[in-house]
Amino acid sequence: MFPACAWCIEKLAAWGYLSDIMVVILEISYLGWMLAYPIIAIQWIGSRALSATYLMLFTVSIFLKLTSFHHVCYDNRYLMRRVKQTKKPEQAVQDLATLFNVNERTFSIAMQYPNNLDLRHYLRFLLAPTCCYQHVYPTSHSIRIGYLFKRGCELVLTSAFMWYLVEQHMLQIAKDSIVHFQERNYLQIMMSTLHMAVPASYLWLAIFYLIFHSWLNFLAEVTQFADRRFYSDWWNAGNLSEYWRK
């Protein structure tokens, strides 16, 4: 429903039925409701923590995608207005292409607005492992079934490993530590924290591998998304700032 709202708003804006101010008001309204809706649904249904977490992660990812889509469409409309205001549109297009530092293919597609709002490309963007909308994406030639099978097996095995860590190690430690908290036994609390550190570290690495390697590469292969750099060598980061950038 919310991606459909975004598409309709931008189509109406492209056809001149909505001003930029009205577009912003509508964006804030439906995106705000989009963030509130899963919270209300989780509280109303009484959802479990795991399913609620997946729902919130999915909602936030769609929120970022739609925000990027609106920003790109706004920039495209602004670009078209600047071109129309010049006396020499052809020369202005060349100057603006250099100013925005975009390749020739991308800029030529931007000049086709609003005809460059393609529904198939929009749906591919919603499924692709990226939160940045672009008129052109690098595309692979075909979908490799063997590659999908390998990534799918990794998803299943990693999920099973995560379940094992939580059920067989972390939950038991957490249950045992409740007594220590009630008794305010700080020594045992510290020992429980140390015991929890090892499985928690493995769980964190498993989550990273599941999302950024297996799942995103699986989506990229399905959508033929050729840009596969989802992370850098964060384990070689020299400081915290470099770590978060990678």
Side-chain angles (χ1 to χ4, degrees), residues 147 149-162 201-218 230-231 234-235:
Y147 185 87
F149 179 77
K150 181 179 179 181
R151 297 282 88 84
C153 291
E154 289 178 354
L155 288 170
V156 174
L157 294 175
T158 307
S159 298
F161 178 65
M162 291 167 57
S201 298
Y202 280 115
L203 180 65
W204 186 90
L205 292 173
I207 292 174
F208 164 78
Y209 189 86
L210 178 76
I211 297 176
F212 290 96
H213 187 77
S214 301
W215 176 241
L216 292 184
N217 276 291
F218 183 88
F230 302 122
Y231 57 90
W234 51 265
W235 47 88

Side-chain angles (χ1 to χ4, degrees), residues 79 93-94 96-97 100 102-111:
L79 176 63
V93 169
Q94 296 176 359
L96 290 173
F100 288 108
V102 295
N103 60 61
E104 184 177 351
R105 181 187 176 192
T106 303
F107 197 79
S108 63
I109 294 176
M111 289 296 96

Side-chain angles (χ1 to χ4, degrees), residues 1 12 29 34 41-42 66 77 97 136 155 157 163 186 209:
M1 179 179 68
L12 291 174
S29 299
M34 177 182 173
I42 290 169
L66 298 183
R77 290 194 298 273
V136 181
L155 288 170
L157 294 175
W163 175 86
Y186 298 110
Y209 189 86

Side-chain angles (χ1 to χ4, degrees), residues 90-101:
E90 295 181 357
Q91 183 66 35
V93 169
Q94 296 176 359
D95 294 341
L96 290 173
T98 303
L99 177 64
F100 288 108
N101 192 26

